[in-house]
Amino acid sequence: MIKIESLDHYGRGITKINGKIAFIENSLPNERVEIKIDKEKKKYIEGSVLKYIEKSKERVNVNCPYYDSCGGCNIMHLSYKDQLKFKQDKIINIIRKYINKDIKINNIISSDTNINYRNKVTFQVKENIGFYKNNTYDIINIDNCLISDKIINNSIKYLRKLNLKDINKITCRTGSNELMIIIETNNKNLDITPLTEVANSIYLKIDNKYIHVYGNKHIYETLDKFKYLISPDSFFQVNINTCLKLYNKIKDYVGKNKNVIDLYCGTGSIGIFVSDSNNVSGIEINESATKDALKNKDINNLSDINFICGDSGKKLKELNFNPDIIIVDPPRSGLNKETIDNIIKFNAKEIIYVSCDPMTLVRDLNILNKYYKINELTPFDMFPNTYHVECLTYLTKKM
Ligand SMILES: C[S@@+](CC[C@H](N)C(=O)[O-])C[C@H]1O[C@@H](n2cnc3c(N)ncnc32)[C@H](O)[C@@H]1O
């Protein structure tokens, strides 16, 4: 029997076994548990709980029958209040440890709902439809995923009517009550008839190409007064109510009468959201997301806004624009050196950094901090029941 001491950044319990650090899935501080060792490396051990001898008072019952084996959610056994505390503490620890500065960290902004929030889900398919079992390629059959949009859950019974042998993955996306289904297959003649009862849009993805086979070409999402068209391979934030809170805070920072660069702009969602009385220039590498952004500009009757397709670092060099503010919202890998160098050259007064990975965020902030003061950071709960957390950081040019 061992006692769990604390939690790591992935929500795993930490303890020591024979002097070695050990990470135990689904365990909480102060719990006494019997475990089995799943993996032993030179420096650490990974394990899972066989029996709870003494449970933490923070532990809550999990309503999901797949929780113990599915690799999707990892902190559902904490109450939502304790999940928020876990994320807040995680961000405070990372910032204090990796940036040697006293940075103001605001309270985490919660999600209005911690279930049925995900508007995009990719199911693995191989006879079964579901998600990978923790750390394996075995697929657990799923009938209902607690964090997925109800429209997506409702579609699963129709997905099962397809010829699953021919399918590798199925992605379901929702927006304003519409459903888009993207099927990864090699069979261009796949019978999709069973899905026409529930889907508004269907694509086959063959050899990485998207082939439109049914219904509308796009789905739409609404944020405040803006409407966004979304293509099958364009990024859009997965939790629309937390997204709105995030974008409203960005809008407050941006203010009025500014020249704004929206780097990694996706479908132009942030740039368009802050476009009232501001000039916006967006850069995005994905061609269809950039096309969506240009269409979104028209749908929303906007004029002082432009979107360019290309790599952020390279296109920044060519940009003939004098920004007051640069907004960056990169993928998990964060900013590369070329992009950071070019951002610094613009000498903008303010930078707004949206990040879904706190480790690459602190790496980049440490570089920007030479020229920019890190004023404050706000965590947002974009991904309830998982250890992931979105952060918004506001920087201003040092005098
Ligand atoms: C986290 S998403 C943010 C999108 C958008 N800001 C939003 O809130 O919906 C990151 C975006 O960066 C784009 N991207 C990835 N690498 C890039 C690069 N090197 N240059 C420009 N855009 C890139 C991705 O295609 C994706 O749309």
Side-chain angles (χ1 to χ4, degrees):
M1 186 184 70
I2 52 161
K3 185 182 172 209
I4 303 297
E5 302 297 338
S6 55
L7 287 180
D8 76 353
H9 294 159
Y10 303 102
R12 298 175 302 182
I14 304 179
T15 186
K16 278 217 164 143
I17 298 174
N18 301 332
K20 237 187 226 182
I21 188 153
F23 304 103
I24 315 296
E25 298 277 355
N26 199 344
S27 66
L28 294 174
N30 297 319
E31 288 191 327
R32 289 176 194 279
V33 288
E34 277 174 15
I35 66 139
K36 74 176 170 63
I37 293 177
D38 299 319
K39 198 190 270 180
E40 178 149 13
K41 296 273 184 187
K42 230 177 173 176
K43 291 198 171 154
Y44 67 91
I45 289 171
E46 286 178 352
S48 42
V49 177
L50 288 175
K51 192 174 175 191
Y52 295 92
I53 310 291
E54 213 176 298
K55 285 189 178 178
S56 159
K57 60 181 184 333
E58 261 97 55
R59 177 173 289 280
V60 294
N61 285 333
V62 171
N63 260 336
C64 172
Y66 317 106
Y67 187 59
D68 286 340
S69 42
C70 173
C73 296
N74 10 61
I75 55 168
M76 209 176 242
H77 54 282
L78 278 174
S79 70
Y80 189 55
K81 188 170 141 266
D82 286 325
Q83 289 188 21
L84 293 175
K85 184 177 178 315
F86 160 74
K87 294 188 188 193
Q88 180 83 16
D89 290 348
K90 164 174 161 164
I91 295 303
I92 291 173
N93 290 337
I94 291 174
I95 295 290
R96 300 285 178 255
K97 181 166 179 192
Y98 295 98
I99 305 183
N100 198 12
K101 295 271 176 334
D102 205 12
I103 294 162
K104 182 181 172 207
I105 300 173
N106 295 322
N107 285 340
I108 187 165
I109 306 293
S110 62
S111 176
D112 287 353
T113 170
N114 61 349
I115 56 164
N116 302 125
Y117 67 85
R118 267 198 85 96
N119 61 20
K120 181 182 178 196
V121 176
T122 296
F123 296 106
Q124 306 297 331
V125 182
K126 201 204 281 169
E127 289 157 35
N128 293 338
I129 295 181
F131 302 126
Y132 284 137
K133 197 171 168 182
N134 252 334
N135 307 321
T136 71
Y137 290 112
D138 300 339
I139 299 170
I140 313 160
N141 228 358
I142 298 261
D143 290 318
N144 184 62
C145 165
L146 268 187
I147 64 169
S148 301
D149 188 320
K150 286 182 178 162
I151 295 177
I152 295 178
N153 282 327
N154 177 54
S155 73
I156 298 175
K157 52 182 177 291
Y158 296 89
L159 300 178
R160 290 198 190 287
K161 294 181 185 170
L162 297 172
N163 183 1
L164 298 181
K165 285 202 307 297
D166 282 354
I167 302 175
N168 297 323
K169 286 180 190 178
I170 301 176
T171 299
C172 294
R173 301 187 73 166
T174 57
S176 307
N177 289 328
E178 290 178 314
L179 174 67
M180 177 186 272
I181 299 179
I182 304 144
I183 305 165
E184 281 192 48
T185 175
N186 288 322
N187 178 3
K188 63 178 188 315
N189 298 315
L190 188 83
D191 180 14
I192 48 125
T193 324
L195 302 184
T196 56
E197 258 187 79
V198 279
N200 303 84
S201 168
I202 304 176
Y203 281 82
L204 298 185
K205 188 177 176 191
I206 301 178
D207 294 336
N208 243 0
K209 290 201 179 71
Y210 291 83
I211 303 162
H212 179 242
V213 288
Y214 174 79
N216 304 326
K217 286 201 165 167
H218 308 102
I219 51 170
Y220 291 85
E221 191 52 271
T222 310
L223 281 168
D224 200 0
K225 63 181 178 184
F226 299 106
K227 194 171 173 184
Y228 299 95
L229 158 162
I230 306 168
S231 290
D233 59 336
S234 300
F235 176 91
F236 212 86
Q237 298 289 353
V238 294
N239 178 342
I240 215 63
N241 81 66
T242 301
C243 172
L244 184 60
K245 295 178 190 183
L246 172 73
Y247 284 11
N248 271 318
K249 183 128 182 113
I250 296 174
K251 193 175 185 171
D252 288 345
Y253 284 136
V254 172
K256 291 200 166 106
N257 304 318
K258 304 269 178 69
N259 284 339
V260 182
I261 291 181
D262 178 14
L263 264 193
Y264 306 90
C265 67
T267 58
S269 47
I270 298 178
I272 287 172
F273 200 84
V274 303
S275 61
D276 285 350
S277 81
N278 294 312
N279 278 311
V280 178
S281 209
I283 300 176
E284 164 60 44
I285 204 162
N286 179 308
E287 209 178 306
S288 74
T290 316
K291 282 185 187 156
D292 290 355
L294 289 164
K295 285 182 196 147
N296 288 332
K297 168 189 169 179
D298 293 340
I299 291 172
N300 292 290
N301 292 318
L302 301 171
S303 52
D304 295 329
I305 185 160
N306 192 29
F307 296 104
I308 305 160
C309 186
D311 173 69
S312 56
K314 298 196 169 47
K315 288 290 167 190
L316 266 182
K317 262 190 281 190
E318 301 166 15
L319 204 62
N320 189 11
F321 196 72
N322 195 10
D324 301 294
I325 301 186
I326 301 179
I327 301 169
V328 298
D329 183 6
R332 280 196 198 143
S333 50
L335 305 173
N336 61 26
K337 185 172 180 319
E338 189 180 20
T339 308
I340 295 197
D341 287 348
N342 287 322
I343 288 175
I344 289 166
K345 276 187 198 145
F346 272 110
N347 214 16
K349 284 198 197 83
E350 294 154 280
I351 295 177
I352 294 168
Y353 193 143
V354 184
S355 162
C356 56
D357 185 329
M359 295 311 291
T360 55
L361 173 69
V362 289
R363 180 201 66 199
D364 296 344
L365 288 180
N366 270 323
I367 304 174
L368 291 167
N369 197 213
K370 205 168 159 200
Y371 309 92
Y372 284 85
K373 178 174 184 287
I374 305 164
N375 284 291
E376 60 175 11
L377 182 150
T378 311
F380 284 79
D381 195 18
M382 190 72 84
F383 316 99
N385 296 311
T386 78
Y387 60 74
H388 295 286
V389 54
E390 190 89 0
C391 287
L392 176 63
T393 312
Y394 176 60
L395 303 100
T396 48
K397 187 95 186 73
K398 287 182 179 169
M399 290 300 158

